[in-house]
Amino acid sequence: MGLTADQIRSGLDAIAADDPRMARALAVAGYPEPRIRERGYRTMLRTIVGQQVSVASADSVWRKLEVELGEDIPAVDLLGRDFDALRACGLSRQKQGYVRSLCELVEAREIDFENLPADDEEAIALLTRIKGIGRWSAEIYLLFAEGRPNIWPAGDLAVQKAVGRIVGLDEAPGEKETRAIGEDWRPHRGAAAIFTWHAYYVPTL
C-alpha cells in the first residue's frame, strides 16, 4: 500500500510551510493522486516483466504467465518451468535470469516482502540483490507498494526535471544535486517525489 491521499497532502503541506518554492509549486499544480501498488513478490515480478518493453508487451507477457502458472504465479512453480516454457510466455534469456533470481531469493527466504528491513537503505540494499533490480526500481517499490514516507528516487529523470523547475534552476539538476535538494524535504520526501511526477506534466509551473 502506497502513501494515501491524506499522507501525501499532509507531507506536502509540511514541506510547503518551510519552503516557499514548494508552496508556490503546490499552489500552481495542486495535490497529486496517490500511486499505489500491491505489496509483495508479484509486484516486483511485474516490475521485471515491464522493464524496457511497452506496456502492451508487458501486459501480454503477464497474461501468458498467469495462464501458464496461475494468477498468483508462485515463485516455486516459475522456477520449475524450463527455458522454452518461459520463452513461450515472452521472457527473453536475460529476463528469465532476472525472474529466476527473484524467485530463488524468495524461495530461500532471503527476501520476505512482508518483512523487509525497516531502515530504507537496508531495504534498498536487500532488494538490489535481485538481478536486474537497481536502486531506482527498489525505491519505486518501497514508495508505491509500502508507502515509505521518506523515499527519494533522485535518479529519476522526471523527478530531476520537476525539481529543477520547482526550485528555479535553469537546467535540470543531476542525481547528486537532486538528492541534496531533497534533504530539505525530509521526512516527507516520498510525498515530494509523488508531487514531482505530477508537477512534471504541469506546463505553467
Side-chain angles (χ1 to χ4, degrees), residues 4 8 27 36 40 45 50 56 64 84 100 106 116 118 120 138 141 149 184 190 194 197:
T4 66
I8 293 169
I36 294 175
L45 178 62
K64 290 175 183 177
D84 289 336
R100 287 188 183 280
V106 168
L116 293 177
D120 291 340
Y141 176 85
D184 290 339
I194 293 171
W197 285 307

Side-chain angles (χ1 to χ4, degrees), residues 110-180:
E110 293 182 41
I111 293 182
D112 179 356
F113 282 96
E114 298 303 317
N115 293 285
L116 293 177
D119 179 83
D120 291 340
E121 289 301 321
E122 289 181 16
I124 290 168
L126 180 60
L127 291 175
T128 53
R129 288 182 58 194
I130 304 166
K131 291 180 181 178
I133 296 297
R135 183 181 181 94
W136 180 86
S137 294
E139 289 171 330
I140 295 301
Y141 176 85
L142 294 173
L143 181 57
F144 293 172
E146 296 213 337
R148 298 203 180 197
N150 200 36
I151 293 294
W152 183 234
D156 187 283
L157 292 178
V159 170
Q160 293 171 5
K161 290 179 180 179
V163 165
R165 290 160 59 194
I166 290 167
V167 303
L169 299 177
D170 292 333
E171 296 182 357
E175 180 174 356
K176 183 177 180 179
E177 188 176 359
T178 300
R179 201 166 293 284

Side-chain angles (χ1 to χ4, degrees), residues 32-200:
E33 294 295 319
R35 295 190 174 208
I36 294 175
R37 294 181 185 169
E38 176 187 353
R39 172 187 284 182
Y41 143 82
R42 288 176 78 255
T43 292
M44 188 59 75
L45 178 62
R46 186 66 187 251
T47 297
I48 293 172
V49 168
Q51 289 175 338
Q52 298 180 328
V53 298
S54 69
V55 172
S57 294
D59 287 345
S60 174
V61 172
W62 192 256
R63 286 193 298 270
K64 290 175 183 177
L65 286 171
E66 288 183 325
V67 169
E68 176 71 23
L69 297 163
E71 186 175 342
D72 290 339
I73 314 181
V76 64
D77 293 342
L78 191 151
L79 287 172
R81 296 300 193 271
D82 63 18
F83 174 84
D84 289 336
L86 295 180
R87 187 72 183 88
C89 291
L91 291 176
S92 66
R93 183 178 299 277
Q94 184 180 56
K95 285 282 181 74
Q96 289 193 39
Y98 295 167
V99 300
R100 287 188 183 280
S101 172
L102 167 62
C103 293
E104 287 166 358
L105 289 167
V106 168
E107 283 301 294
R109 293 182 171 82
E110 293 182 41
I111 293 182
D112 179 356
F113 282 96
E114 298 303 317
N115 293 285
L116 293 177
D119 179 83
D120 291 340
E121 289 301 321
E122 289 181 16
I124 290 168
L126 180 60
L127 291 175
T128 53
R129 288 182 58 194
I130 304 166
K131 291 180 181 178
I133 296 297
R135 183 181 181 94
W136 180 86
S137 294
E139 289 171 330
I140 295 301
Y141 176 85
L142 294 173
L143 181 57
F144 293 172
E146 296 213 337
R148 298 203 180 197
N150 200 36
I151 293 294
W152 183 234
D156 187 283
L157 292 178
V159 170
Q160 293 171 5
K161 290 179 180 179
V163 165
R165 290 160 59 194
I166 290 167
V167 303
L169 299 177
D170 292 333
E171 296 182 357
E175 180 174 356
K176 183 177 180 179
E177 188 176 359
T178 300
R179 201 166 293 284
I181 291 169
E183 288 298 306
D184 290 339
W185 297 339
R186 287 179 177 271
H188 307 292
R189 296 185 303 173
I194 293 171
F195 176 73
T196 60
W197 285 307
H198 169 67
Y200 177 78

